[in-house]
Every structure is written in structure tokens, then in C-alpha cells.
Amino acid sequence: MFKLSDSGIEFIKKELERYESKLSAIIPALYRVQKEHGWVSPDAVVFLAEIMDIPESQINEVLKFYTMFNQKPVGKKHVQVCCNLSCAMNGGRELVDHLCKSFNVKPGEVSEDGQVTVTAVECLGSCGTAPMMQVNDAYYENLNHESAVEIIKKLEV
Amino acid sequence: MEAKVLTEHYDKDEYRFLDGYKKHGGYQMLEQAFKMQPKDIVEQVKSAGLRGRGGAGFPTGVKWGFLPDNGEPRYLVCNADEGEPGTFKDRLMMERAPHQLIEGMIISAFATGSHKSYIYIRGEYNYPAEVVKQAIDEAYKAGLLGKNILGSGFDHDMDIYLGAGAYICGEETGLLSSLEGKKGQPKLKPPFPAIKGYLGKPTIVNNVETLAAVIYILRDGVEGYRKFGTEKSAGTKLFSVSGNVVKPGNYEVPLGYPLMDLINNECGGLKPGRKLKAVIPGGSSAPVLTAQECLDATMDYECLAQKGSMLGSGAVIVMDDSNCMVDSLSVLMHFYHHESCGQCTPCREGTGWLNKIVHSIAKGEGRLQDIDLILKVAENMKGRTICALSDAAALPAISFVSKFRDEFEFYVREGRSKVKGVSYAEM
């Protein structure tokens, strides 16, 4: 059975009141689920539909449209490396390869110890400080292979 | 030479907070605005020639003038869904000067008679969103937001909303769909958002930089604001420069500034021993310019349009001779295919095919006829869809292939890049 913390439920109830349309609470609710569980499972959608009184189909419509919602489990350190043009020009794609090798994981998959997922993503708005990565919520810029590995290793989650 | 109007105090940490912002003249123009008639502010913005800084370059005052006078509540929405590859100026503005955005928004809201605004920030911008949120809290506490702002009798509430990863939400009707809690698919225009926008109500959607610029139009007056820029491209603009320059970053210069000066003076030029190959002057959707075309290019709406490209969001991607144009186009086509929202067939299918064809060439599996096929598919994607994403994918594809055709032909014939050291990278 899927569960959300009491404060999580309270947060979602407040979000339902916050905007002119209650549907606007779907994105914040999905973020909250992801914050507590790391991803949004089909069970979580059923749970949200129930407490928000919004059809599952409408929640799924939002969940599946936006790339920031994880529809399968990810590592505790979710590493997203920008590979759009300015970053590709400055070694973004090679950085993905290097990180995958360093943490012994394939792109988009979770490392055996459950710690790391490395994904190539589209532009993160950090083009002047390429290559860069986002680990969970934070940006790390002007990276090289060594500094990126070091940052991920040292990060406490 | 840089012309720091919006960014004058961006180097000061205190500028991020209410006290520091006020110390440098912050919120004085809001007080002045309240002494004016809203319609006079709209006229002033029109006369100043301010054009939307997010990409489309539509005259801001004209957009405001489209609002119907039907007594319905009006919304103001700030488009901070900065996603055009190459662009990172709105992020800087929100991180360094959140109160500048808030002040610009309150003035704009007053001018357009709106009592509720949202700042729609892309989901990845967690830190900038946090900075803006704290600034909004500060503004409420200081009576700059809420009821009867500074005793003016004007009420205004402001909130932020985080997106969740979708380039298409930077398109204003896609953004409004997303803000309404739906998938971010654009809507057919007309009706334009000014007539029927957020939840069917009249809505103005403006970019971060556009809203901030309103402050300086009031401060400097129409003539003062027009001191920078050209007749049709007035004022200054932030340019995000990235790629192969020594000092990438955001630079505020007058519109009409020579592109080569921006690259050579502000950005320290190219890396030693490298030659300029191409520049994408206005974000990834803007057709690429050859090095030759760059020589006399100036950074304004007209010049770049004349050259068949556009100023767009002001994202300048500088490419030296180490870049393979086939490889670069494969990166861009992957992006547009990934970001197409899927509702219009020419875009959904077209971006998919462009991506497949360019990648097959980059894998060394291309056929000569594929080069013309790219052009044919792209031509069929132009002007046939609800929003501009389809064109935004087609135009760069056409420009890359027609201006660097020899590289595409070489790749097909030899099965490898014409540029040394470039190999196919799986995305």
C-alpha cells in the first residue's frame, strides 16, 4: 500500500486550495510524492486520485508529460548531465560515459547499491558553464571528469 | 562596450534582498508608477519600443493593449520557463535581482489592471525559484504586495509555480495549459491569451527580462530608454553567450551591437588556434549563420531577420572549426523530437523523421538522397502547426544542411565526419 507522510497530505490539501484551479495542485503533489519516495509509482497515482478527488487519468496525463517525474525508481543520487548543444560542445556526452563507467551503471539505470542513476538530459539553462550536471535539486557547473566523480561521491543523501 | 542598465548592480550580493535592492533605487519607480495613469504607462512602454525578450520579439505595449475592457479579472504571468537551448539569462536575473522582477511585475500589473500574477519557473530552476520565493515573502511583509500597496489603493497578489520539465511550456499557451494543471500543450490562436488566457480569462504573458525592463522605461523615460539600441530594436538586451569562446556568460549590450565585438571583446574571442565556423545567434531555434555572415551581423531584430535568422532569446552559441555540423544538428534534432508535445502531426512526425535521418547520417549509414529528404521533410513542417516548435526544428535543419552541405555530403560518402576527432555519440 502506498503511503504519504501526514505533512505530505497536509501540503497537498493546502495546494488544492492555493490555485484558481484545483488541477494546478497535481504538479506540486507529484513533486511531493517524488520527494518522499524518489519516484511516482502507479500506486501513488491511485492514492493521489483518492485524496485529491481528481481522476487518475488526469494525474497520469500530467505525470507522463513532464520529464522531471520519475516513473521508475532512480538512485539516491540522481545525476542528470546536460547533453544539449553548448554542453555537447564542451564534453557533456563524454561526461555521461565517464560517470557511467565510474559508477558502473548504464544510462538511466540504478547502480547495484541503489546510490546512483546517471541520465543524459536536455538543456538545463547552464550553457555558459558547461559541462554541468544536476544532482537531485542542485546544479554543479564547470565540471571535468574528476571533479564530477568527486562531487557525486562526497554528496551525502 | 557593455551597457549595464538592468544588470548595473548584479555584482552586489545585497541586491538580492529587499534592503539592498532599495539602497540602489529599488521600488522607487513603483511609487512613481502609482502616481501615473495606467494607460499612460502602457503608452510609455509602447513608445519606448520595448519588444518581448523571451524569443518572439513582439512589442510589449501592443500586447498589453490587446486586453479587452470587459470587466473580467485579468492575469499577469511571468514566463520564467527558460528552456531555449543556449539561454541562461533569466536564471541570472532571478538569482541576482529577484526584487527587480517583482517590481517590474507590480508596475506591469498596475498598468494592465491585473490583481493576480504568477511567475512560472521551469522545474529545474530550484535555486532561482527559492530566491524569488523569499523575495516575494519579503515584499509581502513590506507591504509591496497584497492589499493597498504603499497606500495606492492597488491590490496585487503574486505567486510562483514550478514547471516539471517540458520545453514546450515556454510557449505562452503551453505555459498556461501547464499552469492550469494540465499537460503543457499549446492552444490554437486566436484567441490570444490577452483575450482568453489562464482559465479562459484575459492574460498577459511576458518574459522575465521584458518585465524588468519596464522599470527602466519609467526611470529613464522614452528618450532615455531609446538612448540605447536602434529605431526598431530599442534598449539593451542580455545575451547569453556559450560554446567555444574564452569567456562565456551573460552580457548586457545595446541592441544593434556587432556580433563580432560581442564575441571578441566581451567574450575574449575564440580559443587560441581556432577559427570561427558558425554562430547560432538567438537560441537553438534560430537558423545558423556562417562565419562570413557573422562579420557584419549586428544583434538586433532587423539585421538578424534580414540574414534569415532571428534574435530570439538572445542566446548566442559560438562554434569554432572543431565542430562537426552533422553531429551538432543531430544533437538539436534529438532535442526537438524529444520536446515535441505530439498534438500536431507535422511536428510529431517531422521531428521524429528529422532526428532519425540526421542520426543515420551521423552513424555513417546515410544515403545521398537523405540530405534532400531532410530539406523536404523540414519544408513540410513550416507554418502548419498550432505553435512554433515545428518551425523551430525545421529552420535550423534547413540552415545547417543548406549552408554546410559539403559536410553532410562528405559524411555520407565517407561514412565519417569531415572534422577530425568527431565520432558518433549515441544519445
Side-chain angles (χ1 to χ4, degrees):
Chain A
M1 248 316 260
F2 178 84
K3 264 195 177 150
L4 204 62
S5 69
D6 288 347
S7 64
I9 291 171
E10 198 171 312
F11 168 80
I12 290 170
K13 300 254 147 136
K14 272 192 192 148
E15 289 294 299
L16 283 166
E17 303 292 316
R18 178 169 167 183
Y19 311 100
E20 281 81 347
S21 161
K22 70 185 274 197
L23 293 181
S24 303
I26 298 175
I27 287 181
L30 290 170
Y31 271 128
R32 182 66 192 217
V33 167
Q34 186 155 299
K35 193 175 160 194
E36 291 191 17
H37 293 264
W39 69 298
V40 185
S41 63
D43 281 351
V45 174
V46 175
F47 177 86
L48 287 180
E50 180 72 31
I51 65 161
M52 297 175 79
D53 194 23
I54 291 174
E56 279 175 44
S57 60
Q58 275 181 298
I59 296 173
N60 275 318
E61 169 188 319
V62 173
L63 169 67
K64 290 175 184 180
F65 189 80
Y66 298 95
T67 52
M68 285 178 68
F69 298 126
N70 305 319
Q71 295 177 57
K72 55 181 191 180
V74 295
K76 282 190 177 140
K77 301 170 184 178
H78 188 196
V79 181
Q80 304 185 74
V81 182
C82 175
C83 289
N84 207 296
L85 191 54
S86 303
C87 283
M89 288 164 71
N90 284 290
R93 292 175 292 184
E94 291 80 2
L95 181 60
V96 172
D97 288 343
H98 182 76
L99 293 178
C100 284
K101 274 189 201 118
S102 303
F103 294 98
N104 193 23
V105 63
K106 285 189 185 134
E109 293 182 2
V110 187
S111 62
E112 239 167 65
D113 59 3
Q115 287 292 306
V116 180
T117 294
V118 180
T119 330
V121 296
E122 298 296 353
C123 187
L124 291 172
S126 191
C127 326
T129 42
M132 63 82 62
M133 64 181 177
Q134 179 179 3
V135 187
N136 300 338
D137 284 343
Y139 277 20
Y140 300 89
E141 307 176 282
N142 291 314
L143 300 169
N144 57 44
H145 288 187
E146 293 70 35
S147 67
V149 170
E150 191 74 7
I151 288 165
I152 298 167
K153 276 188 180 157
K154 279 196 178 151
L155 194 71
E156 285 176 27
V157 285
Chain B
M1 270 286 282
E2 281 185 87
K4 295 188 177 182
V5 177
L6 276 67
T7 59
E8 186 183 354
H9 302 292
Y10 278 24
D11 57 336
K12 303 172 185 78
D13 265 341
E14 61 180 6
Y15 202 60
R16 296 187 293 144
F17 306 101
L18 184 57
D19 287 348
Y21 181 67
K22 277 185 155 173
K23 195 171 135 189
H24 299 285
Y27 289 108
Q28 283 175 13
M29 287 308 118
L30 179 63
E31 287 183 44
Q32 186 177 312
F34 285 145
K35 292 178 196 145
M36 296 170 70
Q37 290 297 319
K39 65 174 184 350
D40 293 339
I41 301 175
V42 177
E43 279 313 309
Q44 201 167 330
V45 170
K46 263 188 209 167
S47 308
L50 176 63
R51 296 172 64 169
R53 301 294 195 231
F58 193 81
T60 307
V62 176
K63 198 183 216 184
W64 291 1
F66 289 156
L67 285 167
D69 220 352
N70 57 6
E72 282 190 290
R74 296 162 168 187
Y75 291 97
L76 174 69
V77 176
C78 170
N79 185 345
D81 190 62
E82 183 171 61
E84 178 73 13
T87 321
F88 47 97
K89 65 181 178 70
D90 296 339
R91 181 177 152 217
L92 175 85
M93 298 188 74
M94 290 188 282
E95 287 179 359
R96 302 307 302 177
H99 282 287
Q100 187 183 54
L101 172 60
I102 294 169
E103 182 180 9
M105 283 183 71
I106 305 171
I107 295 171
S108 304
F110 177 68
T112 56
S114 148
H115 299 291
K116 180 71 197 263
S117 61
Y118 284 104
I119 306 175
Y120 184 102
I121 305 177
R122 65 177 296 180
E124 295 88 343
Y125 279 5
N126 201 62
Y127 173 67
E130 196 51 47
V131 176
V132 172
K133 190 172 170 293
Q134 282 175 15
I136 290 177
D137 290 346
E138 272 189 313
Y140 265 107
K141 277 190 197 126
L144 292 158
L145 283 171
K147 296 262 174 245
N148 189 19
I149 297 169
L150 302 175
S152 63
F154 179 69
D155 304 337
H156 190 79
D157 284 304
M158 191 179 288
D159 204 349
I160 63 170
Y161 194 80
L162 274 186
Y167 170 66
I168 194 59
C169 293
E171 198 278 344
E172 60 180 7
T173 59
L175 185 154
L176 294 175
S177 295
S178 179
L179 186 58
E180 289 165 355
K182 296 179 278 194
K183 56 185 166 187
Q185 289 188 322
K187 300 169 191 179
L188 202 58
K189 294 184 271 195
F192 287 90
I195 311 292
K196 277 190 188 306
Y198 178 55
L199 300 169
K201 299 285 186 287
T203 305
I204 293 295
V205 184
N206 286 140
N207 171 257
V208 175
E209 187 183 353
T210 312
L211 290 161
V214 171
I215 301 170
Y216 304 94
I217 291 174
L218 290 197
R219 188 190 71 180
D220 301 338
V222 170
E223 253 175 60
Y225 185 75
R226 281 185 170 277
K227 201 174 80 190
F228 295 111
T230 68
E231 171 63 28
K232 287 184 178 160
S233 303
T236 60
K237 166 104 190 74
L238 271 77
F239 289 100
S240 304
V241 190
S242 66
N244 304 126
V245 290
V246 173
K247 286 189 294 177
N250 284 301
Y251 299 95
E252 184 180 10
V253 296
L255 284 164
Y257 194 69
L259 170 59
M260 292 312 294
D261 286 358
L262 181 63
I263 295 172
N264 290 324
N265 302 346
E266 273 66 40
C267 302
L270 300 177
K271 283 164 192 150
R274 286 291 168 197
K275 269 185 15 202
L276 184 66
K277 182 173 207 170
V279 173
I280 299 174
S284 69
S285 309
V288 66
L289 299 178
T290 61
Q292 185 64 32
E293 289 172 314
C294 292
L295 293 179
D296 63 346
T298 52
M299 299 307 285
D300 51 81
Y301 298 98
E302 299 75 56
C303 177
L304 293 175
Q306 235 168 43
K307 289 187 177 291
S309 188
M310 58 184 193
L311 186 81
S313 57
V316 181
I317 305 174
V318 181
M319 306 169 79
D320 69 21
D321 56 355
S322 67
N323 292 281
C324 166
M325 299 313 270
V326 178
D327 178 54
S328 301
L329 186 62
S330 77
V331 171
L332 293 181
M333 291 304 107
H334 181 273
F335 169 72
Y336 287 104
H337 174 48
H338 183 262
E339 300 298 338
S340 172
C341 83
Q343 66 177 333
C344 306
T345 308
C347 177
R348 182 184 64 244
E349 300 299 318
T351 52
W353 280 108
L354 288 181
N355 183 45
K356 271 185 204 161
I357 300 166
V358 179
H359 275 264
S360 81
I361 296 176
K363 268 186 221 166
E365 296 165 1
R367 308 163 305 169
L368 269 180
Q369 62 263 42
D370 288 341
I371 300 171
D372 284 326
L373 189 57
I374 294 173
L375 297 174
K376 194 176 162 198
V377 171
E379 281 298 334
N380 279 317
M381 293 165 65
K382 281 160 64 181
R384 301 191 174 174
T385 49
I386 289 175
C387 85
L389 192 143
S390 189
D391 292 70
L395 295 174
I398 293 170
S399 71
F400 270 68
V401 171
S402 44
K403 292 180 184 179
F404 297 92
R405 193 174 175 108
D406 61 316
E407 285 197 32
F408 285 80
E409 287 179 354
F410 184 97
Y411 218 127
V412 170
R413 268 201 320 273
E414 307 288 329
R416 64 183 166 86
S417 175
K418 199 175 174 184
V419 179
K420 264 190 198 149
V422 174
S423 56
Y424 178 66
E426 191 81 45
M427 288 288 286

